[in-house]
Amino acid sequence: MSARKTLTQSELSMFCQQIAMVIRAGLPVYYGISILRDETPEKETAALLGQIYEPMENGSTLYEALRATGVFPAYMLHMVEFGETAGRLEEVLVSLSSYYDREAEIRNSIRHAVTYPLIMTVMMIFVIIAMITKVIPVFSQIYEELGTELSGMARRLMHISDVMNRYTMVLVIVFAVLLLIGFILYHTDFGRVLFQGKNLSMSIASSRFANCMYLALASGLDTDQGLELAGELVNHPHIQARIASCQKHIRHGASFDRALLESGIFSQFYASWIAIGYKTGSMDECLRRIGDAYEQETDERLSHMLSVIEPALVMILCFFIGLIMISFLLPLLGIMTSIG
């Protein structure tokens, strides 16, 4: 864990787990934080723990100390505040640790799925650009030495090569700007939905909603509080609209399980799970299992996306290489044969 504007999901999980262990051992939270601070070899982490310890030593609550640092997410702060008020801080911290572990797994899966195709795409673009700007002029020079003019597709490719060589810096700037726009867009709700695709983004958002509701219910919050927190946490416009619809159904007298089904947050496949969970009083466990199922579905979608993108990129690269070879090599072989 390190002092920065925001902490990673893994760091948040580890912090929650450590404080829960302190409480389980019967130690005051501020005393446990002082032990962690003294035993931590990293200076930045020790400094952050010191920022938490100092106000707690003077009588502040854990919630107040965490909020003062400015590096903990609002969702975690709200849950810690509830845990302290309800006397269930250890349970809340254990649930938060599990929640952030799940979030870390989801984010790592997405990062790995996006990074590989992105690297392949950039490499493919550079290979194609190198062939057009460096290889094609060599063929053109050979044709000139043989006293033959380019024709057809070869002439058009040569024209493209001349334009790209003439405006290389402009193209580099445009490419860099497009990458920057794509990077910024991906960090918006709309951009994530656009790049991930509707089905994948819905699967990820549904998993986060289920995990959030599981944490809320397992920590002792009621369904209204859980839905309010989930609406703030799930950054997906379609799911947020369905959460609002679920809240509306509940206000009109619908039970929680019926409101979930009528709002369409989960697919009909999980209808029986929700009904059984509600009737048996194990809704939190049901939501945890649904979250696990959506995580598995997300992994399968990511694997399928990779299995499609990789051969598609290879085919595109082969097409461009083949086009260049056919346009320049076949006529050149014909000329060499006639000369021979």
Side-chain angles (χ1 to χ4, degrees):
M1 190 169 58
S2 59
R4 58 173 76 96
K5 289 185 177 180
T6 56
L7 298 174
T8 66
Q9 312 300 317
S10 298
E11 289 170 336
L12 291 170
S13 174
M14 183 180 298
F15 177 80
C16 292
Q17 187 178 39
Q18 288 173 334
I19 302 304
M21 290 173 62
V22 168
I23 297 173
R24 192 177 301 121
L27 299 173
V29 175
Y30 75 91
Y31 181 70
I33 290 176
S34 70
I35 294 175
L36 293 174
R37 179 197 59 185
D38 295 339
E39 296 296 327
T40 299
E42 298 178 6
K43 293 182 179 179
E44 291 181 345
T45 303
L48 176 58
L49 291 170
Q51 292 177 31
I52 299 171
Y53 170 74
E54 289 173 5
M56 291 193 71
E57 188 183 25
N58 295 324
S60 296
T61 63
L62 178 61
Y63 161 73
E64 292 169 339
L66 295 181
R67 184 181 62 177
T69 64
V71 299
F72 292 91
Y75 178 70
M76 176 177 168
L77 294 176
H78 186 96
M79 294 301 297
V80 169
E81 182 183 26
F82 166 78
E84 288 185 310
T85 303
R88 306 179 64 173
L89 184 57
E90 182 185 347
E91 296 175 45
V92 169
L93 289 171
V94 171
S95 297
L96 279 170
S97 178
S98 299
Y99 171 79
Y100 284 117
D101 275 337
R102 291 166 180 266
E103 279 290 292
E105 290 175 5
I106 292 174
R107 294 198 177 194
N108 286 336
S109 297
I110 296 172
R111 188 179 295 111
H112 292 156
V114 170
T115 301
Y116 179 66
L118 182 62
I119 292 175
M120 281 197 65
T121 301
V122 172
M123 289 180 61
M124 181 191 73
I125 291 173
F126 276 111
V127 168
I128 292 174
I129 291 175
M131 293 193 68
I132 292 176
T133 58
K134 302 300 179 182
V135 177
I136 288 179
V138 173
F139 282 112
S140 177
Q141 186 177 358
I142 294 174
Y143 274 86
E144 288 179 4
E145 292 176 356
L146 293 173
T148 305
E149 293 185 356
L150 296 172
S151 60
M153 181 59 70
R155 178 181 294 177
R156 285 190 283 272
L157 289 174
M158 191 63 225
H159 176 70
I160 294 173
S161 176
D162 291 338
V163 172
M164 291 183 68
N165 280 310
R166 191 177 300 124
Y167 300 104
T168 300
M169 285 306 300
V170 175
L171 292 173
V172 169
I173 294 173
V174 170
F175 183 68
V177 169
L178 289 175
L179 281 178
L180 180 61
I181 292 173
F183 178 79
I184 295 173
L185 187 61
Y186 185 76
H187 286 77
T188 64
D189 296 344
F190 173 77
R192 278 189 287 269
V193 175
L194 179 66
F195 286 111
Q196 293 173 359
K198 182 179 178 181
N199 291 335
L200 178 58
S201 63
M202 285 287 287
S203 179
I204 293 170
S206 296
S207 174
R208 283 178 173 159
F209 172 80
N211 289 333
C212 177
M213 288 302 302
Y214 159 69
L215 170 58
L217 297 180
S219 300
L221 273 67
D222 59 33
T223 54
D224 291 334
Q225 292 172 307
L227 288 170
E228 194 68 31
L229 287 172
E232 297 174 2
L233 188 68
V234 178
N235 297 321
H236 191 288
H238 296 303
I239 294 295
Q240 286 176 328
R242 295 180 185 185
I243 292 173
S245 174
C246 182
Q247 291 172 309
K248 182 179 178 181
H249 286 304
I250 291 176
R251 285 195 299 269
H252 290 166
S255 61
F256 180 51
D257 63 325
R258 178 53 53 187
L260 283 177
L261 295 177
E262 291 181 356
S263 60
I265 295 176
F266 300 132
S267 66
Q268 289 297 320
F269 176 75
Y270 299 112
S272 60
W273 294 22
I274 294 171
I276 293 173
Y278 185 76
K279 290 178 181 178
T280 59
S282 56
M283 198 65 184
D284 55 344
E285 181 63 21
C286 172
L287 288 166
R288 186 186 68 79
R289 291 183 179 275
I290 290 176
D292 290 340
Y294 271 112
E295 285 179 22
Q296 184 176 355
E297 181 180 322
T298 298
D299 289 338
E300 291 174 355
R301 289 185 184 277
L302 290 172
S303 299
H304 176 70
M305 184 177 70
L306 282 176
S307 66
V308 172
I309 289 177
E310 183 176 357
L313 292 176
V314 172
M315 288 176 64
I316 293 172
L317 182 60
C318 291
F319 170 78
F320 274 98
I321 294 175
L323 180 65
I324 292 172
M325 295 298 101
I326 292 172
S327 301
F328 287 93
L329 280 182
L330 288 183
L332 184 60
L333 290 174
I335 295 172
M336 299 301 292
T337 302
S338 62
I339 293 175

